[in-house]
């Protein structure tokens, strides 16, 4: 299938959008990226039309048809452009295991990630400990492999690596080092960042930190 008519609606700091960017780059698919400039105040008519249920990014529009939710999009990309880089594991067990860890991480980071920069005191400390506990579990799953799927960069790597651009923010607010606490996990992060698709999709961690400071100010969080 030709790469014409591929549009991605996104917001620069969203790890879920980064997942889709990485997948498209790995597949070598040409696409038009449309940034939601005022996503917190006024969402674009195109986004509201493409995702009227959740009104969230990412949304992939392929030949006029919208696909929502990052994991759905990754699977769609892998099925449509089969002749290129493979995203999903071939074996059903490995595929199921990858999905399990993605759901585990997404559920964890949605709550804990915010608490690490938005709360203080005991709640913030508890969030940090939960975060590190989760990373250590992922370290065990990674083992000594270069990627979660072994020698090949794949679904679980694509799903997790975008969140690494937030690590600096977590470290600044919670006063810890991911590298010291989870060196094996950070070795994996560094290896992923060597890939052009990843380095191109992930923003500068300092920019993310400055953005979080702006969000805290906007929300009235001291």
């Amino acid at each position: 299938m030709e790469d014409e008519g591929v549009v991605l609606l996104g917001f620069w700091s969203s790890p879920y959008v980064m997942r889709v960017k990485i997948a498209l780059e790995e597949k070598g698919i040409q696409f038009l990226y449309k940034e939601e400039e005022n996503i917190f105040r006024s969402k674009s008519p195109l986004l509201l039309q493409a995702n009227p249920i959740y009104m969230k990014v990412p949304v992939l529009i392929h030949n006029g048809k919208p696909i929502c939710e990052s994991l759905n999009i990754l699977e769609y990309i892998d099925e449509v452009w089969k002749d290129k880089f493979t995203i999903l594991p071939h074996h059903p067990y490995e595929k199921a295991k990858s999905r399990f860890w993605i759901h585990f991480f997404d559920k964890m980071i949605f709550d804990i990630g915010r608490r690490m920069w938005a709360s203080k005191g005991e709640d913030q400390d508890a969030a940090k400990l939960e975060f590190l506990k989760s990373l250590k579990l992922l370290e065990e799953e990674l083992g000594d492999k270069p990627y979660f799927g072994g020698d090949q960069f794949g679904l679980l790597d694509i799903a997790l690596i975008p969140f690494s651009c937030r690590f600096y923010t977590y470290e600044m607010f919670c006063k810890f080092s991911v590298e010291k606490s989870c060196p094996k996990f950070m070795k994996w992060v560094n290896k992923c960042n060597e890939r052009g698709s990843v380095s191109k999709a992930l923003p500068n961690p300092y920019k993310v930190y400055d953005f979080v400071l702006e969000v805290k100010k906007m929300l009235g969080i001291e």
Side-chain angles (χ1 to χ4, degrees):
M1 180 176 288
E2 294 186 359
D3 300 340
E4 294 180 359
V6 180
V7 179
L8 174 61
L9 310 183
F11 186 69
W12 70 271
S13 70
S14 168
Y16 306 100
V17 173
M18 295 173 212
R19 287 174 173 175
V20 181
K21 285 184 176 180
I22 292 170
L24 291 170
E25 290 290 342
E26 289 286 348
K27 289 276 190 179
I29 301 166
Q30 296 294 319
F31 65 99
L32 175 64
Y33 177 69
K34 293 192 174 184
E35 176 80 2
E36 286 289 315
E37 299 292 344
N38 298 304
I39 197 165
F40 294 114
R41 296 184 178 88
S42 178
K43 297 174 183 179
S44 72
L46 181 56
L47 175 59
L48 297 176
Q49 180 184 4
N51 190 0
I53 306 299
Y54 295 116
M55 297 176 284
K56 294 180 179 180
V57 293
V59 178
L60 186 76
I61 303 174
H62 183 210
N63 293 332
K65 296 179 180 180
I67 303 96
C68 307
E69 300 294 306
S70 64
L71 293 184
N72 288 337
I73 296 171
L74 294 185
E75 292 191 18
Y76 179 85
I77 290 171
D78 207 35
E79 290 179 8
V80 172
W81 290 277
K82 292 182 178 180
D83 58 330
K84 301 182 179 181
F85 170 87
T86 301
I87 296 173
L88 273 68
H90 294 293
H91 196 283
Y93 174 73
E94 295 300 327
K95 193 181 298 183
K97 189 165 64 168
S98 293
R99 287 173 175 152
F100 169 83
W101 284 113
I102 293 168
H103 288 305
F104 163 81
F105 187 85
D106 284 355
K107 184 177 180 181
M108 177 275 295
I109 204 68
F110 181 80
D111 172 55
I112 294 175
R114 190 180 192 282
R115 285 165 56 203
M116 281 194 286
W117 61 261
S119 64
K120 292 182 178 180
E122 292 182 1
D123 186 53
Q124 187 181 59
D125 290 339
K128 178 186 71 175
L129 292 176
E130 290 178 56
F131 174 71
L132 289 174
K133 180 180 178 181
S134 298
L135 289 194
K136 288 183 182 297
L137 288 172
L138 287 166
E139 272 193 329
E140 291 178 15
E141 174 63 22
L142 177 64
D144 294 322
K145 304 186 296 290
Y147 299 113
F148 279 95
D151 292 329
Q152 182 171 329
F153 183 72
L155 178 63
L156 188 50
D157 305 293
I158 293 172
L160 297 183
I161 192 59
F163 291 89
S164 66
C165 69
R166 296 185 174 188
F167 286 1
Y168 175 76
T169 297
Y170 301 152
E171 290 174 332
M172 290 299 100
F173 284 107
C174 295
K175 309 302 180 187
F176 74 107
S177 167
V178 176
E179 188 157 20
K180 287 183 179 179
S181 301
C182 304
K184 191 175 293 185
F185 193 85
M186 283 306 300
K187 183 179 179 181
W188 166 81
V189 168
N190 294 332
K191 183 168 182 61
C192 289
N193 278 317
E194 292 174 359
R195 303 183 73 88
S197 63
V198 175
S199 61
K200 188 175 180 180
L202 270 59
N204 188 304
Y206 301 116
K207 182 180 178 181
V208 175
Y209 175 69
D210 289 341
F211 175 69
V212 172
L213 291 177
E214 292 178 12
V215 171
K216 288 189 68 170
K217 185 177 181 181
M218 182 179 69
L219 296 176
I221 301 174
E222 296 181 357

